[in-house]
Amino acid sequence: MNTTPKLNFLPSENFGEGVWVDVVDMQKAGEKAFPFKASRIVISPGQWSPLDEHEVRECWFIAAGEGTLVYAGEVTEKVKTGDFLYYDSFKSHKILNESSGDLVIFSMWW
Amino acid sequence: MNTTPKLNFLPSENFGEGVWVDVVDMQKAGEKAFPFKASRIVISPGQWSPLDEHEVRECWFIAAGEGTLVYAGEVTEKVKTGDFLYYDSFKSHKILNESSGDLVIFSMWW
């Protein structure tokens, strides 16, 4: 059997009440393989992700759930499963999970 | 209200029976913003994605569903919601949706 192309995640990190982040361990793919980093974010119902702001650019794929996004200090339209979001440098962002289940986000940053 | 950070998708492309690919339209974010391209792939229950092989590297986040992956011509372990897969250059790959619902994949390539 071939080596599986599945990559593991680093140990879960807690980013506030009901917010867990699992960063992809890219070492197996070779140091220079990826031009970005990636993680899986899980937010419990009714919880906010902590406000985040940084120089690196980031994008989010919404894998499950829906909620309200606050971007650069202002409430934007609701986001839902299947959406793709892009955050420019130094644009703050946080999201409230308004689903009955987990809000699951795949994040890439570079 | 601020400009939403939501990016749109280009028109859906059909990649075989029950396989649809929506590429993210990154133009709004600025031509050079992204070091990769991205798409959302939806595969109906019981369907295979077409065999794909290319020089660009690719990774998949499994957003929903589960199935069997064939990588470089060999069956690998089952993949499921939340998994992260990495395909090196010229490693062929295809997946069978063994879920009762859609298999949803977020793909990035560079």
Side-chain angles (χ1 to χ4, degrees), chain B residues 6 36 38 74 106:
Chain B
K6 201 181 288 192
F36 57 89
E74 296 186 38
F106 296 142

Side-chain angles (χ1 to χ4, degrees), chain A residues 1-2 4-7 9 29 33-35 40 57 61 69 74-75 77-78 82-86 106 110, chain B residues 1-2 4-7 9 24 29 33-35 40 57 61 69 74 77-78 82-86 106 110:
Chain A
M1 183 184 279
N2 217 298
T4 172
K6 200 182 289 193
L7 299 188
F9 292 88
F34 284 83
R40 188 181 56 202
R57 291 158 167 173
F61 255 127
L69 184 83
E74 297 187 37
V75 174
E77 62 185 307
K78 302 252 176 159
D83 283 347
F84 186 89
L85 310 168
Y86 168 71
F106 295 141
W110 63 93
Chain B
M1 183 185 279
N2 217 298
T4 172
K6 201 181 288 192
L7 298 188
F9 293 87
V24 176
F34 285 83
R40 188 179 56 203
R57 290 157 167 174
F61 255 128
L69 184 82
E74 296 186 38
E77 62 185 305
K78 301 250 176 162
D83 282 347
F84 185 89
L85 310 168
Y86 168 71
F106 296 142
W110 62 94

Side-chain angles (χ1 to χ4, degrees), chain A residues 57-60 69 71 76-79 83-89 91 110, chain B residues 1-10 23-34 36-37:
Chain A
R57 291 158 167 173
E58 186 173 5
C59 64
W60 282 4
L69 184 83
Y71 182 65
T76 68
E77 62 185 307
K78 302 252 176 159
V79 298
D83 283 347
F84 186 89
L85 310 168
Y86 168 71
Y87 307 141
D88 211 346
S89 294
K91 296 286 190 184
W110 63 93
Chain B
M1 183 185 279
N2 217 298
T3 304
T4 172
K6 201 181 288 192
L7 298 188
N8 294 319
F9 293 87
L10 298 172
V23 175
V24 176
D25 182 356
M26 294 174 166
Q27 202 169 13
K28 184 177 145 189
E31 247 180 59
K32 308 230 180 228
F34 285 83
F36 57 89
K37 293 180 188 294

Side-chain angles (χ1 to χ4, degrees), chain B residues 6-101:
Chain B
K6 201 181 288 192
L7 298 188
N8 294 319
F9 293 87
L10 298 172
S12 287
E13 297 174 66
N14 183 235
F15 273 64
E17 196 182 337
V19 181
W20 292 91
V21 177
D22 292 3
V23 175
V24 176
D25 182 356
M26 294 174 166
Q27 202 169 13
K28 184 177 145 189
E31 247 180 59
K32 308 230 180 228
F34 285 83
F36 57 89
K37 293 180 188 294
S39 70
R40 188 179 56 203
I41 303 168
V42 179
I43 303 170
S44 298
Q47 299 294 338
W48 282 97
S49 65
L51 188 68
D52 202 14
E53 184 180 330
H54 39 69
E55 182 169 9
V56 293
R57 290 157 167 174
E58 184 173 6
C59 63
W60 282 5
F61 255 128
I62 308 297
E66 58 183 41
T68 289
L69 184 82
V70 176
Y71 182 65
E74 296 186 38
V75 173
T76 68
E77 62 185 305
K78 301 250 176 162
V79 299
K80 60 180 194 310
T81 305
D83 282 347
F84 185 89
L85 310 168
Y86 168 71
Y87 307 142
D88 211 346
S89 294
F90 298 117
K91 296 286 191 184
S92 67
H93 45 275
K94 65 176 182 175
I95 193 167
L96 170 66
N97 180 3
E98 294 169 312
S99 323
S100 55

